[in-house]
């Protein structure tokens, strides 16, 4: 008894029925919907003559392919320049209207990137199962949820039945003890973890992030970490509930108040792994060993400390590793042995479901304040993750800090993280990006992505090349 | 859903590890609101020399001669042989839709990313996991022999090679049955509607805050 992991507890609490082969019908508490992975699901419902099982569980918003340009946004859905994108956003509005699903429309307060919006509205609460047709749904695990991405067929399945057929994953625990050094952020922690276990390291597992570093982290920081569990191969990342979680949740729009609050908190506090819980895999890192991280290659596991050099071909052990490195260096236009800080950046992107929350905006603004983006940098996009983040940042004057630094302050959306809208890299351009994937072509055909923290990206914008943000933190800017 | 029992076909190679879903079907094609039509844009950035756009006629586009699947000997391939962690990255089901649209019925690899693996089963596409060593052996044979073909038998859970050799593979019983019979998974789940309702009633008593918040 009492040897359950957090994942075990969340799984057990949502079992509707089990089959002999272990495949289980799991109940889904919250379903978040966006324009790209839902149209075929709604179409499927229509063809089969089905209705959503429940309405009060679904929440929709457009985020992936909408414009972040103020003038285009002000023109509404009809003003989306690309006709296929316009049809997709309009289709989401039409489907939500038709089926009676709550949607925060493109320019409404509440709209935002699905994984920023859910937690900030309190639509995501501890103990819930949360799904969305987007792999970064792992983000919501920061609140002690069982949250993961699903494909479009499963979007339809959840809409129709409020359930998914799933098989239980294995348990993995990643523990990071100690205190993070100056300039080292949650993004650096998760990139260091991916560097250690690799992009397939978490396949088939639910990862629980544990240890002092995560206990001391804000919920927004925890979201950055859980967000990138998928880049470590795990559909699910999660962090146990504590007072920080409960303080974060309190008072948000969809969170219970009054007489439901106390029993909810009492339950949420049980959402921790038992002391004797057994994990199939344990990984341990030490905070002291983590420096600001930068990816140099075409996979998130191709990551190094900012002070390091790009790996050399001669240091590779197997022919496969050598070929992989050769391909990555050719695509990235880099030489083995080159200092990471020697990489010039053409564009900078500060945003995405990984790093577009108010704390990210503040961290980037702290570097941008009183400085200017280097003339060699063509564009610095700062894209808040939601209407609420945007409003808060503007109330704090952060928009002016960015604009004064020669950076662009945009409207909320996914933007250059996946470049489905007009925000994209040109071929061969290097980008200091706070997003989550540095795959070939991810930010634009031929574009070269370097993943890093918001403060590091802002510092790269100022320097015109990748730079150790700690050099900026020792300077005092009046 | 289309059923899958056994498939015999030509094998084509995708000889690199960590093939991500952006590589399988780039983001600009995700703007479609349909389930079909993605085949011509499978592996778009590798397959063509220009930059592809949705709705474009691909027949006149410049082909990348260095991309293996463009070689004549692999024309009509319906079994894709791939390396580890195939399908990593986003949850887009457009990836299996694109593979299916191209004509692939089976993908063989040493490992798959979880969400992609799951998505395949919803579309009558069979992902087969063999060992690293077995996959490497198949790559060797594929490169050596023109017109290399395999038979994949889901009932027996085997990959059959020439000369009667075979490799077994593992698969969940429920997924196997759904695929063999082409079952509508949603229809199956809805047969359990009473159990779902019972669960909801019990849950609403224990955790009432989960219900009714979003209006």
């Amino acid at each position: 008894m009492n040897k359950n992991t957090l994942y075990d507890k969340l799984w057990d609490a949502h079992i509707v029925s089990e089959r002999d082969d272990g495949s289980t019908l799991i109940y889904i508490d919250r379903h978040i919907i966006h324009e790209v992975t839902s149209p075929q699901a709604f179409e499927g419902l229509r063809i089969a003559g089905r209705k959503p099982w429940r309405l009060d569980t679904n929440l929709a918003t457009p985020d992936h392919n909408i414009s972040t340009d103020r003038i285009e946004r002000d023109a509404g859905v009809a003003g989306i320049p690309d006709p296929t994108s316009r049809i997709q956003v309009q289709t989401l509005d039409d489907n939500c209207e038709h089926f009676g699903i709550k949607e925060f429309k493109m320019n409404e307060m509440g709209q935002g990137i699905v994984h920023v919006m859910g937690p900030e509205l309190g639509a995501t609460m501890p103990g819930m199962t949360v799904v969305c047709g987007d792999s970064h749904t792992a983000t919501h695990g920061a609140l002690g949820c069982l949250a993961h991405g699903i494909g479009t067929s499963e979007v339809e399945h959840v809409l129709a039945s409020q359930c998914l057929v799933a098989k239980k994953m294995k348990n993995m625990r990643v523990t990071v003890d100690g205190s993070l050094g100056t300039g080292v952020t949650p993004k650096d922690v998760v990139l260091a973890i991916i560097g250690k276990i690799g992009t397939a390291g978490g396949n088939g597992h639910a990862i629980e992030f544990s240890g002092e570093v995560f206990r001391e982290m804000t919920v927004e920081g925890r979201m950055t970490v859980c967000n990138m569990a998928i880049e470590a191969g795990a559909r699910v990342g999660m962090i146990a509930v504590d007072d920080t979680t409960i303080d974060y949740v309190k008072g948000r729009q969809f969170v219970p108040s009054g007489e439901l609050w106390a029993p909810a908190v009492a339950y949420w506090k049980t959402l921790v792994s038992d002391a004797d819980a057994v994990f199939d895999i344990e990984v341990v890192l030490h905070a002291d060993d983590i420096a600001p991280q930068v990816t140099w290659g075409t996979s998130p596991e191709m990551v190094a400390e900012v002070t390091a050099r790009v790996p050399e071909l001669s240091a590779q052990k197997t022919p496969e590793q050598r070929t992989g490195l050769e391909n990555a260096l050719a695509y990235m236009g880099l030489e083995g042995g080159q200092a990471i800080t020697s990489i010039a950046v053409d564009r900078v992107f500060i945003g995405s479901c990984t790093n577009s929350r108010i704390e990210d905006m503040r961290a980037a603004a702290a570097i941008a304040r009183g400085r200017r983006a280097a003339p060699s940098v063509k564009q610095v996009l700062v894209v808040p993750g939601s209407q609420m983040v945007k409003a808060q940042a503007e109330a704090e004057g952060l928009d002016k800090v960015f604009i004064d630094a020669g950076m662009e302050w945009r409207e909320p959306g996914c933007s250059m993280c996946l470049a489905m809208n007009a925000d994209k890299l040109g071929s061969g351009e290097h980008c200091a990006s706070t997003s989550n994937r540095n795959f070939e072509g991810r930010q634009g055909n031929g574009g070269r992505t370097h993943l890093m923290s918001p403060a590091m990206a802002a510092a790269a914008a100022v320097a015109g090349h990748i730079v150790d943000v700690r050099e900026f933190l020792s300077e005092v800017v009046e | 859903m289309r059923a899958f029992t056994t498939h015999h076909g030509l094998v084509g190679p995708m000889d690199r590890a960590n093939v991500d879903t952006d590589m399988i079907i780039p983001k600009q094609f995700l703007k479609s609101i349909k389930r079909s039509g993605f085949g011509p844009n499978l592996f778009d950035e590798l397959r063509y020399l220009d930059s592809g756009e949705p709705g474009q006629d691909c027949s006149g586009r410049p082909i990348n001669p260095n991309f293996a699947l463009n070689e004549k000997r692999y024309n009509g391939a319906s079994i894709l042989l791939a390396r580890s962690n195939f399908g990593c990255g986003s949850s887009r089901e457009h990836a299996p839709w694109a593979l299916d649209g191209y004509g692939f019925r089976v993908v063989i690899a040493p490992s798959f990313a979880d969400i992609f693996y799951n998505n395949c089963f919803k579309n009558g596409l069979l992902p087969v996991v063999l060992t690293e060593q077995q996959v490497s052996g198949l790559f060797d044979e594929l490169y050596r022999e023109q017109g290399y073909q395999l038979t994949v038998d889901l009932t027996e859970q085997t990959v059959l090679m020439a000369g009667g050799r075979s490799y077994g593979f593992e698969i969940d019983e429920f997924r196997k049955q759904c695929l063999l019979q082409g079952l509508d998974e949603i229809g199956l789940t809805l047969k359990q509607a009473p159990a779902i309702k019972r669960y909801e009633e019990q849950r609403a008593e224990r955790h009432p805050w989960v219900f009714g918040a979003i209006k």
Side-chain angles (χ1 to χ4, degrees), chain A residues 459-478:
Chain A
V462 171
H465 57 85
I466 294 174
V467 65
D468 189 341
V469 69
R470 291 172 296 190
E471 292 171 21
F472 284 64
L473 298 173
S474 53
E475 292 174 30
V476 178
V477 176
E478 293 299 326

Side-chain angles (χ1 to χ4, degrees), chain B residues 119-191:
Chain B
N119 281 340
C120 286
F121 287 97
K122 318 290 181 190
N123 294 283
L125 183 69
L126 178 63
V128 172
V129 178
L130 297 180
T131 67
E132 291 269 2
Q133 207 178 0
Q134 289 168 339
V135 169
S136 284
L138 291 177
F139 267 106
D140 291 344
E141 293 183 17
L142 170 62
Y143 291 141
R144 211 165 45 227
E145 296 171 32
Q146 290 277 343
Y148 185 71
Q149 304 194 359
L150 290 171
T151 302
V152 178
D153 185 334
L154 178 58
T155 313
E156 297 296 323
Q157 297 178 215
T158 51
V159 175
L160 293 153
M161 292 155 282
R165 294 167 302 136
S166 71
Y167 294 139
F169 61 87
E170 294 297 317
I171 188 166
D172 289 347
E173 190 56 29
F174 177 69
R175 282 174 163 151
K176 178 178 171 178
Q177 290 308 323
C178 284
L179 213 47
L180 281 175
Q181 298 170 53
L183 295 175
D184 165 22
E185 210 181 273
I186 296 175
L188 279 182
T189 295
L190 288 175
K191 285 186 184 164

Side-chain angles (χ1 to χ4, degrees), chain A residues 56-308:
Chain A
D56 62 348
T57 171
N58 298 294
L59 190 61
T61 203
D63 59 357
H64 277 61
N65 72 22
I66 56 178
S67 172
T68 61
D69 177 88
R70 178 70 183 272
I71 294 167
E72 287 178 6
R73 276 290 270 274
D74 282 349
V77 176
I80 298 175
D82 175 5
T84 50
S85 295
R86 188 166 64 234
I87 290 168
Q88 205 170 48
V89 175
Q90 186 62 52
T91 302
L92 179 69
D93 287 358
D94 294 348
N95 281 326
C96 290
E97 176 80 31
H98 176 83
F99 288 104
I101 286 170
K102 172 77 178 169
E103 181 192 6
F104 288 95
K105 292 204 169 93
M106 190 171 74
N107 290 333
E108 266 183 85
M109 183 52 74
Q111 178 269 343
I113 304 174
V114 278
H115 312 308
V116 176
M117 178 192 87
E120 80 181 0
L121 293 174
T124 308
M125 288 179 246
M128 281 183 160
T129 40
V130 180
V131 297
C132 173
D134 187 283
S135 60
H136 289 107
T137 307
T139 311
H140 305 258
L143 291 161
C145 295
L146 173 51
H148 62 79
I150 54 177
T152 297
S153 294
E154 289 186 324
V155 169
E156 186 181 340
H157 198 127
V158 173
L159 280 168
S161 70
Q162 211 50 47
C163 291
L164 279 179
V165 179
K167 214 162 180 182
K168 197 173 174 193
M169 291 175 273
K170 290 182 177 170
N171 281 288
M172 177 188 249
R173 177 161 62 186
V174 177
T175 304
V176 189
D177 280 322
S179 298
L180 296 174
T182 308
V184 182
T185 70
K187 182 64 162 288
D188 303 302
V189 174
V190 72
L191 285 172
I193 291 167
I194 295 163
K196 183 171 172 105
I197 70 174
T199 51
N203 277 5
H205 291 76
I207 299 181
E208 180 176 345
F209 298 98
S210 169
E212 288 170 63
V213 161
F214 304 110
R215 294 270 69 86
E216 286 166 20
M217 210 175 258
T218 64
V219 169
E220 293 196 358
R222 295 174 186 183
M223 286 189 223
T224 299
V225 172
C226 291
N227 174 277
M228 290 191 73
I230 187 73
E231 275 67 47
R235 295 173 81 176
V236 166
M238 52 176 61
I239 292 179
V241 173
D242 60 9
D243 289 341
T244 306
T245 325
I246 292 175
D247 290 345
Y248 174 89
V249 169
K250 193 170 188 179
R252 292 185 186 268
Q253 186 174 339
F254 296 121
V255 169
S257 54
E259 59 185 20
L260 284 182
W261 173 252
V265 169
Y267 170 62
W268 294 342
K269 286 193 166 174
T270 67
L271 299 173
V272 298
S273 287
D274 295 329
D276 297 328
V278 179
F279 291 82
D280 299 282
I281 300 181
E282 294 261 16
V283 176
V284 177
L285 281 79
H286 297 285
D288 292 347
D289 299 335
I290 303 175
Q293 306 279 310
V294 176
T295 63
W296 49 264
T298 53
S299 162
E301 69 188 13
M302 294 175 167
V303 65
E305 294 182 5
V306 62
T307 51

Side-chain angles (χ1 to χ4, degrees), chain A residues 348-363:
Chain A
V348 175
F349 172 59
I350 298 169
S352 87
C353 59
T354 314
N355 281 126
S356 64
R357 297 178 184 81
I358 190 65
E359 290 171 14
D360 301 313
M361 297 293 119
R362 288 176 189 147

